[in-house]
Amino acid sequence: MNRPFADMPYGYPPAFCYPLTEICMYILFLLCFYHAWKQGISKLAYLLGGFGFGLLLEYINVRANAGYRYGQFLLMIRDIPVGIGAGWGIIMYTSRLITESMHMRSWPAAAMEALLALSIDWSMDVVAYRLHMWHWNWETIINPSVALSAQYFGVPWGNFYGWLCVVFFYSLFSRYLERSRIWKAAIPILAILISQVALYVTLFPISFFLKNHFNILSADKLVFTLLFFAILTTIGIYKMKRHPLKLPFITWLVPAWFHIYFFCWLFIGGFAQENTLMTILSVLSLLVGTLIHWLLILNTKSRT
C-alpha cells in the first residue's frame, strides 16, 4: 500500500474520491450561486466573498507554514484546492440564510453561524485528514507518533477554534458594513480585509500573549469560545422576533451532504475500526447535525 506519510497507516483513497468530492462541492456552489443570483447583489457578493476569503486564508496559512498542507486535487491555485474556497463559501452562505430567516441580531447571528459551520467541520476533518485531503504535520507540532491520537484524533484543537473565528468575523463585519452606504459589491472585499486582520490578531498576538502569560492553550480558547457563542446564540434566539421561517432547499442540502458524505467515507476508508470512541463521536456528530436541521425544518413547516 502506497503511504504518502510515514506517520499515517492509511494509503491514498480510491482514485475517484478526490474528483467526486470536488465535483459535489462545485455543484453545491453552483446551486448556492443560483440562489444568490436570484436574491440580488448583496447575497451574491457575500457568497463570492466567502469563496475568496476561504482561498485567501488557506493560502496564507499554508505559506506561513501553519502546520498543514493539501492533497492534489483537479483544480489548484498555488497549492490550494479551489474546492476548499467553494466549501468555505457555501457553508458560510447557507449558515447566514438560516440566521437571516430567524431575524437574529448581528452578534448572536454571527455566533450561531460559527457554531453551525463548526458542526460541519467537526464531522469532516477527522475523515478528510485520513483521506489525505489535507494533512497536519505533527512532526513540527508535537511528535509524528501522535498523528492519529493527538488532540481530537489527529485534528488540532486550534483548527476548530480557527473555524469559529473565521466564520464569526466574516459574518459580523459583513453585517455592519452592509448598514453603511458603501457600494454593495465592495462590501465583501472590505469584510475580507478587516476579518483577515482580526483573525491574524486573534490567532497570533493575542494567542501568544494568553499562552505566555496565562498558559491558555488552543483547547482552552476553544472551550471558552464555544461557551461564549452558545450563550450569545441562546440569548439571540430568546430575544428574536417570531416570524415564519422560510428556509431554502440549500440550507439543509449543504450540511446534509457534508455530514453524510464524510460519514460514509469513515466506513469506506476503514477508519471506523481505528478507534471506537472516534466512531461513536462521529455518529453523535451526524445525529446532532441532523437534529439541528430537522428542528429547523419542523419549525419552518409549523409556521407556514
Side-chain angles (χ1 to χ4, degrees), residues 26-74:
Y26 296 142
I27 291 174
L28 291 172
F29 185 83
L30 289 175
L31 290 174
C32 290
F33 186 91
Y34 177 70
H35 179 271
W37 180 272
K38 293 192 301 180
Q39 299 300 310
I41 187 65
S42 294
K43 291 289 189 294
L44 188 60
Y46 190 81
L47 173 64
L48 295 177
F51 171 79
F53 188 25
L55 286 179
L56 176 63
L57 68 91
E58 297 295 349
Y59 174 76
I60 292 175
N61 287 338
V62 169
R63 284 291 176 267
N65 192 24
Y68 71 95
R69 56 179 171 170
Y70 285 100
Q72 186 63 41
F73 287 80
L74 295 176

Side-chain angles (χ1 to χ4, degrees), residues 105-163:
R105 296 179 180 178
S106 297
W107 281 72
M112 182 174 178
E113 289 165 32
L115 294 176
L116 288 171
L118 182 64
S119 72
I120 292 176
D121 187 54
W122 206 277
S123 297
M124 174 176 59
D125 264 340
V126 167
V127 179
Y129 170 51
R130 285 161 174 77
L131 290 170
H132 306 299
M133 291 182 177
W134 45 84
H135 181 80
W136 281 278
N137 186 5
W138 283 101
E139 184 175 355
T140 61
I141 302 176
I142 302 177
N143 189 303
S145 65
V146 299
L148 296 178
S149 59
Q151 300 190 24
Y152 190 72
F153 308 107
V155 181
W157 296 121
N159 172 75
F160 299 126
Y161 174 66
W163 264 74

